[in-house]
Amino acid sequence: MAGDAKGHASENYLDDWRYEKDGVRHSPTDSPNAILRGRAQATIKSALIVKEKVLSGANRAVSIASATPQSSDFDFSEDGDEGEEDTRYPSFDDVEHLDPDAILLYQFEASNGGGSDVWPDMRDPKKLPAKYVPLVALAPPTDYANRLQELQDVCNQESSSTILAKPASSGSPPQCPVRSGRGWPAQKMPAELYDLIIGYLPRDEIKAMRLACKEFEKHVSHALFSTVVVPFNTEIYGMLEVDSEPAAPIKRDVKGKGKARASDFGTVWKNANCDDIYTGHGIDVYRGFGPHIQRYGMSFEVDEEILARPPKKTTMELHDTYWGHFPWPYQNYRRFDHVANLESAADETPKMKQAFSYLKKVKELALSIDSGLGWLNGPDLSMRSRILKGPSTVFGSSHAIADRQMRAKRGLWKMLEDLHNGMAGACNLRHAKLRHVDFKFTIAEFQALAEEQTANGLMSHDDINFVNDNLIRDAHSHNEPDSFLGDTESPLQPGRRGALYTIEDMFEGHLLKRHALVPNDLTKLQREWLLETEWAQRAFLSSYMVAIIDNPKTFENVHTINFSRISSRYLHSLCRDDFWSALPNLHTVIIKVIADWRTVEKDPAGFVHTPMEFPSEALRPFYKLLQNFLAPMENIKTLQIGWASGGEYAEGVHARNRHLLPAPVLPSGFMADGHPSRERLEETVIAFPHVEHLTLANCWIPPLAFTTLVMKHESACLNKLTLDSVSLSPLERANAGQNANNQGVAPPPPLNAQPVGPGVLPAIQNQNQNNNNIGAQQPWQLPAPPPIANPLAPTLTWRGPHRSGSWPYVLDIISPGKNLGDYPYTTSNADNARIAASTLTEIELISCGYARIQSRNFDNSSLDSPAPHVLDPHFQKRREALASCVMTVSDTYLGEIVQYMPQHEIRAASTVWNVWHGWQDVAKADEATFDGLLPGGTGRISGVIKRSDRDELEMP
């Protein structure tokens, strides 16, 4: 038969090769093209019918027996589908009044037991994503006959069968050129070429490349394992177990508070999912790959999706007696098995110490530990945030190209955008929500529809058209519209099929209260989950630090430690001299803190409580860590400090641009007795005498405190100051000290605080105060700018004088490069002699602006926009509906970012210091609009100010 196959025409080669390889000649009507035509014809009819019924709101089953593809040599049904005659489209309950805008069919396929375990080819069925295809009516039902003819013409064309592409040449499948045997030729390609190729690949593609052959594994492993982040859970760290059981069984500590016991038994790596990929390797996994690891990170975080659906916990224990059985409450506090196992694993300090001992080449350490006691979004997330949500970064993205999962999420979002933009009358995608409904359709119909959409350009075979089961689970249930996170069913099973569709979100407040995760009203199980997780995290952090302390030789070359996300309640654990002394060559420290909004405690009766607390209390341990441990260390040259929650990168209408905390260089309660004087600030603002590069991130700071911080480092080692999303607070009121002790109504703002329009400078002179205060300067205020002829007359020029405490005013004082005095007809407060003697040579601004402060001590009216942004009615309704669900505290130290900066200030900053307004990443800036705000970067400036700029002065 092979000889006969070679004699056929080339265009029929693929059909003949596929159908004759089994030694059986099939009829032309059974060729793949014929089958494709039949399936496509049936599916286009099905798609048109379903689309028509969904959009018209029909609530009845539609029989499509006549549209079911005829039997063929290809079997596209799953187990149990054979012989099924009653294939029906579903009854869409309540869909008639929903008017969906976009519909995607999805199905979960069976797990591939021999898969590569590189997403989406997962072994574990619980991790399998779903394949999706858009359901689009390409023509109205009245034009069905013409559409079928067009479809048949397309199917007859050879180019339409892209999935049946022909081999490149002659009559046998192509073979890889090899020198001997099969596989990639050994030692034929320079190692540098492998490194160049890897530089263009995301991490999961590198993982797949490594599995290709031993030669690839040899050259790729060093790049794949150079950066490793291990999530601490039973699936990962639980792999380490003793070689054999001890002679005497050890009684389990039911409370999880027992001490770890050292063991003389060796360790063996065991996969918690019972996969045999690691079985038998033991500690050789660390021993084998440890030499490749240069950046090692660990994470232990509370996921909102898990917190919303904690596992059930039995509260009663069944007792047997001679007269029968009866339930009775447990004598001791009942633990979650999963969290108890985590704590038991965390208590195994010797195992972690042994595993760390093989990290001989590690240069950077990272840790992310989130207790879940900070801000919780709950239902306050846009559809875009739910779809594009990714894991928190530990080291940051080490690859320029997104991995498969992120590309799949972006592809799904782009698909929804295209569907909404291409449909007349569709709602604004910013106002839409995602829902799902399960119903049955055959695999043949699904595959044919995918081929049809590919032929029409809606999909590409290069696309990763997968959606994670978490997104389907999070979508509003069709049957339970109030349970977008409340679907507590078992993991989605292979073969499950249904549809995702978008509709306009009406945000009914009474339904939001029944959300599975209401941040301000946690359930009993959720509170207990947080409590037990905190126990496990404290044990983990203790073992982590002891493992580093006990391996001084292993970590002697570590130069960077990155606490990318750490809950403020664990900062006290970092206040250990022996921990920092165990890293003698450390020169870079990064600390981003998640402020706790609540604490968790268990009373003597066994009930768990989560009382609220002020987020600003996180300043206290943060300040202590910086002041007492990091500031005196002579070896630390680069220090990045800030907050990992709140600000302009938070998500949700109640979180974005809100909950901004003071810079951690300020002590807790620095405004308790009114605003501190310059003398007090010079004593309390932390100085880092040995740091050469200091970064403040995601915080607000008073202008006087900011200038004090810079001036304290002018004679130190500081060369570069980076301000990443730092906001200046408004000026303080003149009677702030009285207001601190007086809870009455605050007096009206002074004249210099009246709002002005773009390009208009407010009257800022102190001469307009009452006669008793003329010439007087409060000790906590910045020096007043020089007087002008008419202090009450506004100015329309960028040359100044500028408002005291504004960005041009502050930059003019601290700039190591140009200042306002270098331009004619300007007003400047710069001291050139002081600047010339300073060690500071560069200031980098990344999205810096202003922030309102809740405290009445600040005059927030000076930051008002003449045309304030008004929320869209949809977002206004959304904010009001969510108000009863979100966490609230009356913390006067919290700030809110102002999306406004006067035009004359922007022009002054751009003219003198060459900074720009807004964000250059348009897609990133657009994220804020999905929370009802102006694009990200509005009212924010970015740029770099260098001392060398003074040599390039150009007159305007």
Side-chain angles (χ1 to χ4, degrees):
M1 298 300 293
D4 295 338
K6 294 179 181 179
H8 293 294
S10 59
E11 61 269 15
N12 296 325
Y13 165 76
L14 184 61
D15 289 352
D16 294 331
W17 177 78
R18 178 167 292 182
Y19 285 91
E20 292 187 9
K21 64 179 181 179
D22 296 329
V24 180
R25 180 70 176 177
H26 294 272
S27 63
T29 57
D30 290 333
S31 66
N33 283 335
I35 295 173
L36 175 62
R37 285 196 299 272
R39 290 162 54 199
Q41 290 172 2
T43 303
I44 185 60
K45 183 177 180 181
S46 304
L48 293 172
I49 294 174
V50 171
K51 186 67 175 180
E52 179 188 10
K53 296 302 181 183
V54 172
L55 293 179
S56 63
N59 190 23
R60 63 181 182 272
V62 181
S63 174
I64 59 165
S66 60
T68 303
Q70 302 298 320
S71 60
S72 65
D73 293 333
F74 284 80
D75 183 14
F76 297 99
S77 62
E78 292 181 338
D79 295 339
D81 288 345
E82 297 181 2
E84 183 179 357
E85 297 293 340
D86 189 21
T87 304
R88 301 180 307 163
Y89 284 110
S91 296
F92 287 88
D93 301 329
D94 303 326
V95 173
E96 62 272 7
H97 67 278
L98 295 179
D99 192 17
D101 297 315
I103 304 177
L104 303 174
L105 299 183
Y106 68 84
Q107 73 168 359
F108 287 88
E109 300 177 352
S111 174
N112 182 4
S116 63
D117 222 22
V118 178
W119 195 92
D121 187 20
M122 308 301 293
R123 294 188 183 93
D124 187 356
K126 298 179 181 179
K127 298 181 180 180
L128 277 177
K131 187 84 172 180
Y132 71 85
V133 59
L135 184 61
V136 181
L138 301 172
T142 56
D143 196 29
Y144 171 68
N146 294 335
R147 181 61 192 143
L148 273 185
Q149 182 60 43
E150 295 175 8
L151 177 63
Q152 185 172 359
D153 295 339
V154 171
C155 292
N156 286 330
Q157 297 176 6
E158 182 180 13
S159 60
S160 67
S161 301
T162 54
I163 61 171
L164 303 176
K166 297 184 299 184
S169 61
S170 65
S172 59
Q175 301 288 336
C176 294
V178 294
R179 188 173 68 177
S180 61
R182 300 180 63 85
W184 187 263
Q187 300 180 356
K188 281 294 185 180
M189 194 168 77
E192 292 80 4
L193 289 182
Y194 287 97
D195 294 336
L196 290 175
I197 294 172
I198 291 171
Y200 291 92
L201 297 177
R203 185 173 181 83
D204 48 12
E205 302 292 352
I206 299 176
K207 292 163 68 176
M209 181 179 177
R210 174 179 170 268
L211 298 176
C213 62
K214 292 184 178 180
E215 186 70 14
F216 279 14
E217 192 276 337
K218 176 182 177 182
H219 291 88
V220 170
S221 292
H222 75 280
L224 180 61
F225 294 104
S226 62
T227 300
V228 173
V229 177
V230 178
F232 187 84
N233 52 38
T234 55
E235 183 179 347
I236 300 297
Y237 194 71
M239 297 174 186
L240 286 174
E241 294 186 353
V242 295
D243 280 337
S244 58
E245 293 296 329
I250 299 177
K251 182 180 179 180
R252 180 180 176 184
D253 183 4
V254 295
K255 293 186 178 181
K257 308 305 290 181
K259 296 182 179 179
R261 297 175 174 84
S263 176
D264 295 329
F265 297 91
T267 55
V268 54
W269 195 282
K270 180 181 178 181
N271 195 297
N273 286 334
C274 300
D275 297 335
D276 59 355
I277 182 172
Y278 296 124
T279 302
H281 290 270
I283 204 65
D284 289 337
V285 174
Y286 269 99
R287 185 184 295 113
F289 297 117
H292 296 299
I293 299 176
Q294 298 184 17
R295 307 169 74 202
Y296 181 76
M298 299 190 74
S299 64
F300 191 172
E301 302 175 343
V302 172
D303 192 337
E304 281 197 29
E305 295 176 357
I306 299 177
L307 181 61
R309 296 182 294 269
K312 300 297 182 182
K313 181 192 295 188
T314 58
T315 58
M316 295 290 185
E317 185 179 17
L318 189 63
H319 291 262
D320 296 331
T321 65
Y322 67 93
W323 48 266
H325 311 283
F326 68 94
W328 196 256
Y330 286 95
Q331 182 179 1
N332 298 313
Y333 174 76
R334 182 67 174 171
R335 298 289 303 272
F336 289 104
D337 291 337
H338 175 77
V339 184
N341 292 336
L342 283 177
E343 186 175 355
S344 298
D347 281 330
E348 297 293 341
T349 305
K351 292 181 181 179
M352 187 178 292
K353 176 183 175 182
Q354 182 180 2
F356 280 14
S357 66
Y358 294 106
L359 305 176
K360 299 294 185 181
K361 294 185 178 180
V362 67
K363 302 293 179 58
E364 299 182 34
L365 294 174
L367 180 65
S368 177
I369 179 168
D370 181 3
S371 65
L373 299 173
W375 174 266
L376 297 175
N377 286 102
D380 187 14
L381 278 180
S382 65
M383 184 177 69
R384 184 186 188 280
S385 297
R386 294 184 185 277
I387 291 176
L388 299 179
K389 180 182 179 181
S392 59
T393 58
V394 178
F395 285 108
S397 178
S398 57
H399 297 275
I401 304 176
D403 61 13
R404 294 178 182 177
Q405 291 196 52
M406 183 51 65
R407 297 205 310 273
K409 294 175 181 179
R410 293 174 181 173
L412 173 60
W413 180 249
K414 182 65 166 59
M415 178 72 69
L416 292 176
E417 285 184 326
D418 293 342
L419 293 176
H420 273 253
N421 294 335
M423 178 177 293
C427 72
N428 189 330
L429 197 56
R430 293 174 175 81
H431 302 168
K433 66 179 177 181
L434 199 64
R435 301 184 71 176
H436 82 269
V437 59
D438 291 338
F439 64 93
K440 287 188 176 181
F441 50 84
T442 66
I443 298 179
E445 293 164 357
F446 183 85
Q447 293 180 348
L449 182 61
E451 294 162 9
E452 165 66 11
Q453 305 298 3
T454 301
N456 287 276
L458 267 178
M459 296 175 59
S460 169
H461 289 297
D462 297 331
D463 293 338
I464 308 178
N465 300 308
F466 290 97
V467 55
N468 285 329
D469 63 340
N470 286 335
L471 180 62
I472 298 176
R473 197 189 313 275
D474 290 353
H476 296 230
S477 171
H478 174 72
N479 297 322
E480 300 177 11
D482 52 71
S483 60
F484 17 145
L485 276 178
D487 189 358
T488 58
E489 62 183 84
S490 58
L492 303 178
Q493 299 298 324
R496 179 174 175 179
R497 306 163 198 166
L500 288 169
Y501 58 97
T502 59
I503 59 173
E504 187 172 4
D505 193 351
M506 304 307 295
F507 269 94
E508 302 179 44
H510 68 282
L511 296 180
L512 293 174
K513 290 294 292 182
R514 296 161 60 186
H515 191 280
L517 177 60
V518 180
N520 66 354
D521 187 17
L522 299 180
T523 65
K524 175 178 178 292
L525 288 179
Q526 290 168 348
R527 295 193 299 269
E528 292 178 354
W529 183 271
L530 291 175
L531 174 69
E532 297 182 29
T533 301
E534 191 209 27
W535 291 348
Q537 287 180 337
R538 288 191 182 277
F540 161 74
L541 185 58
S542 177
S543 295
Y544 179 87
M545 299 183 70
V546 170
I548 293 177
I549 295 171
D550 291 348
N551 284 290
K553 198 68 176 175
T554 301
F555 297 105
E556 64 179 355
N557 295 322
V558 170
H559 58 70
T560 300
I561 188 165
N562 181 359
F563 296 96
S564 59
R565 291 167 56 87
I566 182 169
S567 294
S568 57
R569 65 193 316 101
Y570 302 133
L571 289 176
H572 292 291
S573 300
L574 302 183
C575 298
R576 296 182 55 170
D577 288 320
D578 54 352
F579 172 74
W580 298 105
S581 300
L583 305 171
N585 293 312
L586 186 68
H587 61 68
T588 300
V589 177
I590 304 172
I591 304 179
K592 303 292 181 62
V593 177
I594 304 172
D596 289 337
W597 281 63
R598 54 164 49 103
T599 185
V600 59
E601 54 193 22
K602 182 166 68 74
D603 62 22
F607 295 99
V608 179
H609 306 279
T610 54
M612 303 295 292
E613 65 179 15
F614 286 169
S616 61
E617 287 299 315
L619 271 176
R620 196 179 309 276
F622 204 172
Y623 182 87
K624 176 183 176 183
L625 174 64
L626 297 176
Q627 175 80 356
N628 298 339
F629 292 89
L630 298 184
M633 294 180 64
E634 299 181 3
N635 53 316
I636 295 182
K637 303 302 180 183
T638 301
L639 180 62
Q640 300 181 28
I641 54 177
W643 306 100
S645 57
E648 56 188 338
Y649 300 116
E651 296 180 333
V653 295
H654 282 276
R656 192 179 294 274
N657 285 355
R658 294 184 170 192
H659 311 146
L660 204 63
L661 287 166
V665 297
L666 298 171
S668 175
F670 65 96
M671 294 189 307
D673 299 324
H675 292 280
S677 63
R678 179 182 292 276
E679 292 75 14
R680 183 183 175 190
L681 285 174
E682 290 178 351
E683 296 176 358
T684 56
V685 171
I686 301 177
F688 304 96
H690 310 289
V691 172
E692 298 176 357
H693 182 191
L694 176 64
T695 299
L696 299 179
N698 195 29
C699 59
W700 66 266
I701 188 170
L704 179 59
F706 181 44
T707 56
T708 302
L709 174 69
V710 174
M711 292 178 182
K712 289 187 70 172
H713 290 85
E714 287 182 339
S715 59
C717 299
L718 186 65
N719 296 324
K720 181 178 180 180
L721 176 64
T722 299
L723 306 175
D724 186 356
S725 189
V726 172
S727 302
L728 291 179
S729 69
L731 287 179
E732 304 85 356
R733 298 186 188 275
N735 56 350
Q738 300 175 8
N739 287 339
N741 299 318
N742 184 7
Q743 300 301 321
V745 178
L751 287 176
N752 65 348
Q754 297 299 321
V756 296
V760 180
L761 182 68
I764 58 174
Q765 306 306 310
N766 290 332
Q767 286 85 346
N768 62 4
Q769 304 295 330
N770 57 57
N771 294 333
N772 294 331
N773 290 332
I774 292 180
Q777 179 179 320
Q778 298 293 339
W780 40 264
Q781 287 181 325
L782 288 171
I788 56 178
N790 183 5
L792 298 180
T795 178
L796 300 177
T797 177
W798 58 268
R799 300 178 186 273
H802 290 278
R803 175 178 63 87
S804 179
S806 65
W807 273 106
Y809 187 92
V810 171
L811 291 178
D812 183 49
I813 296 175
I814 68 172
S815 170
K818 297 182 291 185
N819 54 57
L820 288 169
D822 295 320
Y823 293 81
Y825 311 111
T826 57
T827 303
S828 175
N829 294 286
D831 185 349
N832 291 328
R834 177 183 57 79
I835 294 175
S838 173
T839 60
L840 184 64
T841 60
E842 182 177 338
I843 296 178
E844 182 179 8
L845 307 176
I846 304 174
S847 188
C848 295
Y850 298 110
R852 293 187 182 92
I853 312 303
Q854 292 189 13
S855 172
R856 66 181 60 195
N857 294 340
F858 290 94
D859 183 14
N860 291 312
S861 62
S862 62
L863 303 179
D864 289 342
S865 169
H869 173 64
V870 179
L871 281 179
D872 178 277
H874 168 84
F875 290 104
Q876 182 64 35
K877 182 178 180 181
R878 177 178 172 184
R879 175 174 289 183
E880 294 173 356
L882 290 168
S884 60
C885 301
V886 298
M887 307 163 69
T888 56
V889 293
S890 57
D891 192 342
T892 58
Y893 285 85
L894 293 182
E896 180 180 355
I897 288 177
V898 178
Q899 289 190 298
Y900 169 71
M901 182 178 291
Q903 288 296 322
H904 68 276
E905 294 186 11
I906 296 176
R907 187 182 175 192
S910 61
T911 302
V912 179
W913 296 286
N914 297 321
V915 302
W916 59 88
H917 173 258
W919 292 354
Q920 296 179 335
D921 189 343
V922 178
K924 188 70 175 177
D926 192 51
E927 293 179 2
T929 63
F930 285 84
D931 291 321
L933 302 176
L934 297 174
T938 303
R940 317 288 285 181
I941 56 176
S942 304
V944 180
I945 304 173
K946 298 182 179 180
R947 174 168 293 182
S948 58
D949 294 339
R950 295 186 63 85
D951 301 332
E952 304 172 0
L953 286 175
E954 296 180 1
M955 304 304 296

